[in-house]
Amino acid sequence: MGKKLVSLENIAFKYEGQSRHAVDHVSFDIYEGEWLAIVGHNGSGKSTLAKLLNGLQFPQAGTILVNGKELTEETVWEARSKIGMVFQNPDNQFVGATVQDDVAFGLENAGIPLPEMVQRVQNALNKVKMESFLNQEPHHLSGGQKQRVAIAGVLALQPDLIILDEATSMLDPRGREEVLETVRELKEENLLTVISITHDLEEAAKADRMIVMNEGKLYRQGIPTDIFQMEGELIELGLDIPFSVKLSKELKERGIGLIKSHLTEEELVRELCELHSKM
Amino acid sequence: MLDKMILGRYVPVDSTIHKMDPRSKLLLVFLFVCIIFLANNLISYGLIGLFTLILLMLSKIPIRFLYNGLKPILFLIIFTFVLHILFTKEGEVVFNFGWLEIYDGGLRQGLFISLRFTFLILVTSLLTLTTNPISITDGMETLLHPFKKWKLPVHELSLMMSIALRFIPTLMEETDKIMKAQMARGVDFSSGPLKERIKAIVPLLVPLFVSAFKRAEELAIAMEARGYRGGEGRTKYRQLKWQTVDTLLMLSLVVLTILLVLLRS
Amino acid sequence: MRITLQDVEYRYQINTPFEHLALHDVNMDIVSGSYTAIIGHTGSGKSTLLQHLNALLKPTKGSITIGDRTIESGRKEKHLRAIRRSVGIVFQFPEHQLFEETVEKDICFGPMNFGVSEKDAKDRARKALEQVGMDEEILEKSPFDLSGGQMRRVAIAGVLAMEPDVLVLDEPTAGLDPRGRMEIMDMFYQLHKERGISTILVTHSMEDAARYADEIIIMHQGTVFKKGTPFDIFSQPEQLLELGLDVPDTVRFQLKLQKELGVRFDRPCLSIEDLATEVKKAMERGNR
């Protein structure tokens, strides 16, 4: 595991007028280069976590360290330059009049000089494969394309960490796949650290590490294989388990001697092949 | 009906006028509106007409499109014309029919005013027809820049305008969606007594406002997350380029102004 | 109530330079008491199609028969309320249509538009709220004080209170978490079973289509590409994959296993339990 990028220490946050903590004394670390999935049912506090990480809200207790520096009102702009966010609704984060204007928006804010700006916009759009849509207006783009533009806007700022706050939940299956594929490629290429806040368990299964949130509390953290051992417990939390885990369980119940519950279909098929040849 | 309106529409064609700097186009329209009042005889109106015609030709906007777009306004132009003929009683009587007397002064006035009106409409629509809204915003921002000294929030205004423009299609779509949803719940937007119809607007407007506020809030958060903290220290991605065409056109406008002054009678 | 579409065509902004053909040659027959799933890509014409089902859009060609009313292209149609009452639509993100001061008023809005008395409407509101699994307590609350998931349920209750004969659902679970999704889908299925409400579900989820529908209609490029029982449709998964559509997880797994393991399945499995049993059988067959 790489070095610690962000640490949360005993974070608590309560919205005004609410009796319950939205985030209830949560601590965890985010390491460089990993893909961390934060899962939980709606209202479990996972989106509030995202806002806290980006200094859009400040915790009432506890500290957040970004690159070892405490996140406060004074350091928030510096932290934001290192942490990019992609939100849920593709329409409500598209600021520019066209694709290139939107990608440039963050760069303009950072006061990047024009020649470099042009270069970075172009590069970022190439990376998300939207370079041929430079002058397209947002209402002519699909949801998936808009989210890719949002990702380009984040990339252009060259952050260390990208937070996807349910970024695929309003997309159709094709758009969802498009966006996840883009993020996966980026993560492999330039060691971008990814936090994905989601309730898509198939997506979470492919993460390096998972955090399960429940009622504002950190319920469990670990690698997906371990987390999905909880099976029934997860369903009780209002979540689901991936298809291949469910199928593994059913097969085991029918006396097929699988060594474990597999997280991906490929693994499961492979073990079935091995068993088959031994028969 | 709305599909044919040309006011405020942008028609993307590749033309000299399209490529011009929005600043020069804005200045042109502004000055044009001023100098048109210098004209007070047939020759000067002819001159302005020629100038307008040249602009239209350069813009490559199909004449048919312009004509169709002007149709709804045609009525207004004719109305002004008739009004002047009937009520201006200057000069000699050229036509007499019972109580109706038409003076040559009235004819002149009517003709000039309708011409002035037509040219104004044509030139101002030319601005929106050949410039996409975002460039107009950019042009305005730069032109208004000197007024910052007097605390005019130029950057904020232009950002507001560009965001408003960007959200127009989104909100139109939303309006349609909510309208359909309420129609499915039994609302009738298009018939019934006026009172009922006004009442029917509430289930449309409330959700629209709620959603617009939600969008605004989310947009503000997204902008903040992307490091937006006002106009201070920002660079600009869109650059305006003043070209030779722009200078030429401004010069031709100066020449036109001088001619109009000389021709005044 | 039966809905029949005959050679339906629909063009947006007809006779303008922006004209756009959204539907063409659509024929379908949705019988009373059936559960139909309509699947297809974004832009395949699904949404346009569903707006025809209660005359929110009228075809530019062809005709639609809804119960005993026929809507034909080119004819002025009046008094569409009867149709709107009997065919309820739950649009995508229906919580966006809430507008009243209280939950109760909002749920009563639909029924009262269709001439139900205030007292009856209030009764219906209580019943509908119970159906969507919510407590009567919230009746007096403002719908805007509720959570996203609760707002969704209230909006659905507003459609249910109209007591429609046909229920059209456009991605009713989009954006919900897994539990919410399952509860809502089960609730609609129960209504369908208990009250015989014809249900038409527009969805991207092949799992839901396979689990609930009697018939599946695949829309592609503005027309019906194929229709049949889930069993028929998923017997030829290759066709769907070619269109770039998904197949249920179980069917996709069968395909993978057939390819890697060389075993054959003689039918598509539409549930995990069924698939597990079949995989076991196939493994044992291979043994002999």
Side-chain angles (χ1 to χ4, degrees):
Chain A
M1 237 180 262
K3 74 173 192 0
K4 264 188 214 170
L5 204 59
V6 180
S7 313
L8 283 81
E9 289 161 17
N10 220 12
I11 293 298
F13 179 81
K14 204 192 277 182
Y15 284 100
E16 227 168 282
Q18 300 256 310
S19 54
R20 201 169 61 84
H21 276 99
V23 172
D24 196 353
H25 299 91
V26 168
S27 310
F28 63 91
D29 299 317
I30 297 149
Y31 299 94
E32 202 172 65
E34 74 171 339
W35 179 312
L36 172 70
I38 302 182
V39 300
H41 61 86
N42 286 347
S44 60
K46 55 191 194 315
S47 279
T48 310
L49 264 183
K51 292 199 181 111
L52 291 168
L53 282 170
N54 204 318
L56 293 167
Q57 301 279 13
F58 288 94
Q60 281 108 9
T63 44
I64 298 175
L65 300 174
V66 179
N67 270 339
K69 234 189 220 159
E70 190 179 338
L71 182 65
T72 60
E73 307 256 4
E74 287 79 50
T75 58
V76 68
W77 295 103
E78 198 192 330
R80 272 180 203 158
S81 72
K82 296 199 177 83
I83 302 177
M85 275 189 90
V86 180
F87 297 91
Q88 181 179 24
N89 191 324
D91 267 316
N92 299 355
Q93 55 187 312
F94 206 110
V95 188
T98 66
V99 167
Q100 53 174 335
D101 289 301
D102 189 61
V103 177
F105 180 75
L107 298 169
E108 291 178 320
N109 294 337
I112 308 289
L114 183 71
E116 194 185 336
M117 196 145 56
V118 174
Q119 197 65 47
R120 285 214 208 169
V121 168
Q122 194 62 49
N123 280 344
L125 283 172
N126 284 342
K127 283 198 181 130
V128 300
K129 303 198 178 67
M130 286 292 290
E131 63 275 21
S132 49
F133 294 86
L134 270 184
N135 289 311
Q136 197 67 266
E137 291 169 18
H139 61 278
H140 294 302
L141 300 176
S142 72
Q145 289 172 329
K146 277 181 237 181
Q147 291 302 61
R148 273 150 67 200
V149 173
I151 294 172
V154 168
L155 278 185
L157 287 163
Q158 303 172 342
D160 300 328
L161 173 68
I162 182 170
I163 304 177
L164 308 173
D165 185 4
E166 298 194 39
T168 60
S169 75
M170 284 178 76
L171 305 180
D172 61 11
R174 197 187 255 186
R176 192 173 311 152
E177 202 32 58
E178 208 174 281
V179 168
L180 287 177
E181 195 53 45
T182 305
V183 180
R184 231 169 264 144
E185 273 170 25
L186 290 172
K187 193 212 156 205
E188 268 153 39
E189 264 172 47
N190 45 6
L191 288 163
L192 194 65
T193 309
V194 182
I195 297 184
S196 161
I197 291 168
T198 181
H199 42 231
D200 180 349
L201 276 295
E202 301 286 344
E203 180 198 324
K206 295 194 177 105
D208 299 319
R209 214 155 55 88
M210 279 175 75
I211 283 179
V212 183
M213 293 290 295
N214 188 41
E215 316 218 313
K217 289 201 175 68
L218 191 152
Y219 186 81
R220 192 71 67 84
Q221 61 175 320
I223 56 170
T225 327
D226 293 343
I227 297 285
F228 288 117
Q229 295 304 326
M230 303 198 294
E231 296 178 2
E233 232 175 310
L234 282 175
I235 292 174
E236 263 166 47
L237 294 180
L239 296 169
D240 202 358
I241 43 178
F243 166 74
S244 42
V245 176
K246 281 188 211 157
L247 183 59
S248 304
K249 194 178 143 216
E250 291 289 334
L251 287 170
K252 280 192 270 186
E253 275 172 20
R254 281 167 181 71
I256 293 187
L258 295 172
I259 39 171
K260 63 170 191 172
S261 290
H262 292 279
L263 277 189
T264 65
E265 288 171 30
E266 285 71 26
E267 274 179 53
L268 179 56
V269 170
R270 208 175 308 132
E271 202 191 343
L272 284 174
C273 282
E274 279 166 24
L275 282 174
H276 188 68
S277 61
K278 274 186 229 151
M279 269 181 172
Chain B
M1 167 74 186
L2 275 176
D3 295 327
K4 291 202 182 99
M5 275 295 275
I6 56 164
L7 279 173
R9 268 236 174 143
Y10 171 59
V11 180
V13 197
D14 188 25
S15 84
T16 323
I17 305 281
H18 281 76
K19 275 185 236 149
M20 276 173 59
D21 192 312
R23 283 174 296 183
S24 72
K25 281 191 263 190
L26 278 162
L27 278 176
L28 180 96
V29 171
F30 182 70
L31 291 175
F32 187 86
V33 171
C34 297
I35 64 168
I36 200 164
F37 290 97
L38 289 172
N40 61 354
N41 56 47
L42 264 182
I43 307 174
S44 43
Y45 271 106
L47 212 58
I48 294 179
L50 190 69
F51 186 75
T52 313
L53 194 71
I54 294 174
L55 287 182
L56 289 179
M57 304 263 277
L58 284 174
S59 76
K60 290 191 189 161
I61 300 282
I63 298 293
R64 172 175 279 278
F65 188 78
L66 278 173
Y67 173 71
N68 278 335
L70 278 182
K71 260 198 216 155
I73 307 161
L74 210 59
F75 163 77
L76 212 63
I77 296 173
I78 294 172
F79 183 72
T80 350
F81 184 62
V82 173
L83 216 63
H84 272 277
I85 290 180
L86 293 182
F87 295 108
T88 312
K89 303 199 188 303
E90 277 167 26
E92 286 163 31
V93 179
V94 281
F95 189 76
N96 197 329
F97 188 83
W99 55 273
L100 183 77
E101 284 175 333
I102 292 176
Y103 295 81
D104 74 335
L107 262 178
R108 270 167 56 100
Q109 282 275 6
L111 183 69
F112 287 170
I113 290 189
S114 5
L115 278 178
R116 196 187 289 166
F117 199 53
T118 314
F119 294 151
L120 278 179
I121 297 276
L122 280 174
V123 172
T124 39
S125 358
L126 203 61
L127 172 72
T128 52
L129 282 168
T130 64
T131 326
N132 73 33
I134 199 69
S135 305
I136 298 185
T137 318
D138 281 334
M140 294 253 227
E141 182 176 0
T142 346
L143 285 178
L144 291 176
H145 202 260
F147 293 96
K148 253 190 158 162
K149 269 188 227 146
W150 293 286
K151 298 269 191 277
L152 187 72
V154 179
H155 162 75
E156 285 75 11
L157 281 177
S158 84
L159 185 74
M160 253 166 61
M161 199 159 125
S162 85
I163 288 176
L165 286 168
R166 128 95 190 85
F167 272 94
I168 286 174
T170 315
L171 290 176
M172 295 282 270
E173 223 170 84
E174 184 126 323
T175 311
D176 182 64
K177 216 194 89 179
I178 296 172
M179 235 168 124
K180 294 259 172 67
Q182 304 300 27
M183 276 161 78
R185 291 211 283 167
V187 177
D188 193 346
F189 288 103
S190 55
S191 62
L194 190 66
K195 206 180 135 205
E196 289 295 306
R197 269 199 254 180
I198 292 173
K199 255 170 74 188
I201 306 276
V202 177
L204 175 64
L205 281 188
V206 174
L208 261 180
F209 273 107
V210 170
S211 120
F213 278 114
K214 186 162 180 258
R215 283 185 195 282
E217 196 187 324
E218 287 186 14
L219 192 72
I221 291 178
M223 283 168 67
E224 210 186 320
R226 290 168 72 179
Y228 179 75
R229 39 177 164 169
E232 226 40 56
R234 268 186 118 231
T235 42
K236 258 189 103 42
Y237 181 68
R238 274 175 179 274
Q239 297 289 322
L240 302 172
K241 250 200 249 126
W242 189 277
Q243 293 152 308
T244 333
V245 215
D246 297 295
T247 317
L248 282 178
L249 214 77
M250 291 319 289
L251 279 177
S252 68
L253 199 69
V254 171
V255 173
L256 182 70
T257 316
I258 296 170
L259 284 176
L260 287 180
V261 173
L262 293 177
L263 281 169
R264 262 178 87 85
S265 51
Chain C
M1 202 159 79
R2 182 171 181 166
I3 301 181
T4 317
L5 281 78
Q6 234 172 7
D7 302 317
V8 167
E9 178 203 88
Y10 187 78
R11 289 172 192 272
Y12 282 100
Q13 304 197 39
I14 196 162
N15 296 331
T16 72
F18 310 99
E19 184 175 312
H20 162 66
L21 177 67
L23 288 180
H24 63 94
D25 305 301
V26 175
N27 287 293
M28 58 178 73
D29 185 13
I30 297 165
V31 293
S32 204
S34 60
Y35 197 127
T36 311
I38 300 179
I39 56 187
H41 283 303
T42 310
S44 62
K46 289 177 303 183
S47 302
T48 313
L49 174 66
L50 90 91
Q51 292 177 40
H52 280 82
L53 300 178
N54 76 350
L56 285 172
L57 291 178
K58 281 157 243 169
T60 47
K61 252 189 211 158
S63 68
I64 299 169
T65 308
I66 304 166
D68 47 13
R69 273 288 292 273
T70 300
I71 306 226
E72 254 170 281
S73 64
R75 214 170 59 187
K76 279 257 177 213
E77 299 286 347
K78 286 209 163 164
H79 308 295
L80 295 168
R81 274 200 184 168
I83 295 182
R84 307 252 161 89
R85 193 208 65 80
S86 38
V87 183
I89 301 193
V90 176
F91 282 93
Q92 230 182 84
F93 302 104
E95 57 273 26
H96 294 167
Q97 73 197 30
L98 299 173
F99 74 99
E100 282 283 13
E101 296 149 54
T102 67
V103 168
E104 182 174 43
K105 278 188 186 170
D106 209 288
I107 300 178
C108 290
F109 179 69
M112 284 169 71
N113 278 332
F114 294 117
V116 175
S117 72
E118 194 176 335
K119 190 181 158 292
D120 288 351
K122 282 185 174 174
D123 286 343
R124 287 190 186 191
R126 283 190 170 66
K127 228 169 71 190
L129 212 51
E130 195 193 316
Q131 273 161 357
V132 298
M134 292 197 60
D135 223 55
E136 264 187 34
E137 271 168 30
I138 66 154
L139 277 173
E140 292 308 315
K141 276 196 183 171
S142 157
F144 301 107
D145 288 340
L146 305 176
S147 75
Q150 291 173 318
M151 280 168 85
R152 172 84 48 104
R153 283 166 197 254
V154 168
I156 291 173
V159 176
L160 294 182
M162 286 158 43
E163 302 192 342
D165 305 314
V166 181
L167 201 52
V168 181
L169 312 168
D170 187 4
E171 296 265 356
T173 61
L176 296 182
D177 59 19
R179 180 194 288 159
R181 213 176 300 156
M182 217 169 64
E183 283 174 357
I184 299 258
M185 287 314 294
D186 283 346
M187 186 263 304
F188 283 127
Y189 191 63
Q190 237 185 338
L191 275 177
H192 164 73
K193 280 281 161 211
E194 283 169 13
R195 297 228 228 119
I197 297 181
S198 317
T199 307
I200 299 158
L201 169 73
V202 175
T203 185
H204 285 297
S205 162
M206 297 297 156
E207 268 67 39
D208 287 347
R211 183 175 315 144
Y212 299 111
D214 312 320
E215 188 178 38
I216 295 181
I217 296 175
I218 299 173
M219 293 294 293
H220 188 61
Q221 293 179 345
T223 197
V224 176
F225 175 80
K226 205 180 165 190
K227 52 188 164 191
T229 61
F231 193 85
D232 292 340
I233 296 283
F234 296 122
S235 293
Q236 286 155 306
E238 297 86 358
Q239 265 187 344
L240 292 174
L241 295 170
E242 263 167 44
L243 294 189
L245 289 167
D246 287 336
V247 292
D249 290 332
T250 46
V251 176
R252 193 183 53 238
F253 192 81
Q254 279 181 300
L255 280 179
K256 272 189 193 153
L257 218 54
Q258 282 187 5
K259 211 173 112 219
E260 299 288 321
L261 209 61
V263 295
R264 290 227 57 82
F265 295 99
D266 33 350
R267 62 183 179 84
C269 298
L270 298 180
S271 75
I272 293 188
E273 293 77 18
D274 186 23
L275 175 62
T277 313
E278 285 301 306
V279 169
K280 186 169 170 13
K281 273 194 221 157
M283 302 270 293
E284 281 162 359
R285 262 205 309 276
N287 201 14
R288 275 168 223 140

